[in-house]
């Protein structure tokens, strides 16, 4: 069986970087606090991840406030379900239909032949405006979380990750549509745009990605997550909140494929720490050359390792508070 992602694993340095990332996440999952307080740690991870993801899309990294101010209350929510309920995620509209017809403005997430390989997915130039473009209008809102629709969307998607990880392998289109509904709810004037690719999106390439990301592969979950992230940045399928959606989808894959089963790491914080190289390497990935693809996957693996270190800091904080 054709396995393009196994070829990515063979690119220079990718195997070693993926192994290091997995080792770092495993160390986090072995932390003593994970045995009894995994939900609290995941809640803090979701907050920190949302903050970092919004910052990568040009938001104010201090908007959320310090975790010293909000972390204890967030951890008391004890997991993604409480975070979701607090922001009305459960009351949101259903995601756009994955099958059937779509309204004007873009087809549903469907259609297209099986993937021919990574070059076919990663070919073509990066979109104008950079990989994180299309995120949000520059509206002046009231200060704080309530006045930042990008951060609000990022909070909703990180809270929904464990739930969406459960359906990823059987219905990635539904999971991706749901991520966009949550991320862009406050960013679009027409709610019918939520969860539906824009008319100019490359529907065939998007379908190839979703098929490849859920097909059997010898590549580890670290590699699959990095490819999903890179592809969604290159495709910008929705035209709004695409960066937040791409990073949330990456987190979903890491949970769904057993890399970070507790959603305790903070990969978004790793990407923020490596921000200087984030967009240049995303553009290099989109060009489709092996060196660009390899460099992007190594960057993501480094981000996962750094995000695991952030998770360890959160786990220590929770353990200290419980003692």
């Amino acid at each position: 069986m054709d396995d393009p992602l196994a070829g990515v694993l063979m690119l220079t340095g990718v195997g070693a970087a993926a192994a290091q990332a997995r080792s770092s996440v495993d160390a986090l999952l072995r932390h003593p606090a994970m045995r009894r307080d995994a939900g609290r740690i995941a809640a803090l991870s979701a907050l920190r991840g949302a903050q970092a993801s919004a910052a990568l899309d040009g938001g104010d990294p201090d908007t959320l406030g310090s975790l010293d101010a909000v972390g204890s209350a967030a951890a008391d929510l004890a997991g993604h379900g409480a975070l979701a309920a607090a922001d009305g995620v459960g009351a949101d509209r259903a995601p756009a239909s994955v099958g059937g017809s779509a309204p004007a403005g873009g087809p549903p997430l469907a259609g297209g032949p099986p993937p021919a390989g990574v070059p076919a997915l990663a070919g073509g130039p990066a979109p104008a405006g950079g990989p994180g473009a299309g995120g949000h209008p520059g509206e002046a809102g009231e200060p704080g979380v309530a006045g930042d629709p990008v951060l609000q969307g990022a909070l909703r998607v990180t809270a929904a990750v464990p739930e969406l990880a459960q359906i990823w392998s059987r219905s990635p289109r539904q999971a991706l549509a749901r991520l966009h509904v949550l991320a862009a709810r406050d960013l679009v004037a027409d709610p019918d745009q939520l969860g539906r690719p824009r008319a100019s999106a490359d529907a065939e390439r998007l379908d190839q990605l979703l098929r490849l990301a859920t097909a059997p592969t010898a590549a580890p979950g670290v590699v699959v997550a990095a490819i999903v992230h890179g592809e969604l940045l290159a495709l910008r399928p929705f035209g709004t909140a695409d960066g937040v959606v791409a990073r949330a989808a990456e987190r979903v894959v890491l949970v769904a494929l057993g890399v970070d089963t507790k959603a305790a790491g903070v990969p978004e914080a790793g990407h923020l720490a490596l921000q200087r190289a984030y967009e240049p390497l995303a553009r290099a990935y989109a060009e489709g050359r092996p060196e660009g693809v390899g460099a992007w996957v190594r960057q993501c693996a480094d981000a996962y390792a750094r995000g695991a270190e952030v998770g360890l800091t959160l786990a220590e904080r929770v353990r200290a508070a419980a003692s």
Side-chain angles (χ1 to χ4, degrees):
M1 180 182 293
D2 187 29
D3 186 359
L5 293 183
V8 175
L9 184 61
M10 301 305 294
L11 295 174
T12 302
V14 167
Q20 177 59 46
R22 183 59 189 261
S23 177
S24 297
V25 175
D26 286 347
L28 167 59
L29 296 179
R30 290 194 301 266
H31 190 279
M34 295 299 299
R35 289 196 292 269
R36 58 178 296 178
D37 289 316
R40 293 167 63 86
I41 295 165
L44 289 171
S45 168
L47 276 171
R48 179 66 68 86
Q51 180 185 29
S53 189
L56 284 164
D57 266 12
D60 181 355
D62 296 324
T63 300
L64 186 59
S66 69
L67 285 179
D68 289 335
V70 300
S72 296
D76 285 342
L77 295 173
H80 77 282
L83 280 173
D87 199 28
V89 171
D92 221 327
R93 67 185 289 273
S97 174
V98 178
S101 61
L109 302 179
V118 170
L121 291 174
H136 57 92
E139 297 178 351
E142 61 186 87
V145 177
D148 186 344
V150 178
L151 180 55
Q152 284 281 7
L155 286 165
R156 286 191 291 264
V157 295
T158 55
V161 162
E163 174 190 356
L164 295 179
Q166 295 178 19
I167 68 170
W168 173 261
S169 62
R170 67 178 184 272
S171 189
R173 296 167 181 82
Q174 180 181 350
L176 189 61
R178 180 65 176 163
L179 286 174
H180 186 249
V181 169
L182 296 173
R185 188 177 73 187
D186 302 323
L187 299 173
V188 299
D190 181 1
D192 283 338
Q193 295 176 5
L194 294 172
R196 297 183 182 277
R198 54 197 171 92
S200 57
D202 189 336
E204 180 176 331
R205 180 173 166 185
L206 180 59
D207 189 67
Q208 289 176 346
L209 167 65
L210 297 179
R211 290 172 183 267
L212 183 64
T214 53
T217 178
V222 166
V223 170
V224 180
I227 294 296
V228 168
H229 185 176
E231 280 294 312
L232 291 175
L233 288 182
L235 281 166
R236 293 183 56 235
F238 301 107
T240 54
D242 288 307
V244 170
V245 169
R247 290 181 289 275
E250 172 183 65
R251 190 184 265 250
V252 166
V253 173
L254 289 171
V255 175
L257 298 188
V259 178
D260 183 2
T261 54
K262 303 296 185 181
V266 193
E268 303 91 346
H271 289 302
L272 186 61
L274 300 167
Q275 184 176 18
R276 180 173 297 183
Y278 181 77
E279 290 197 2
L281 289 181
R283 289 192 292 268
Y285 171 87
E287 291 172 356
R289 293 190 292 270
E291 59 271 22
V293 173
W296 169 255
V297 176
R298 292 194 301 271
Q299 164 96 353
C300 288
D302 190 3
Y304 306 158
R306 290 171 183 254
E309 294 174 2
V310 175
L312 282 171
T313 300
L314 300 177
E316 283 294 330
R317 178 173 300 180
V318 168
R319 181 167 70 167
S323 62

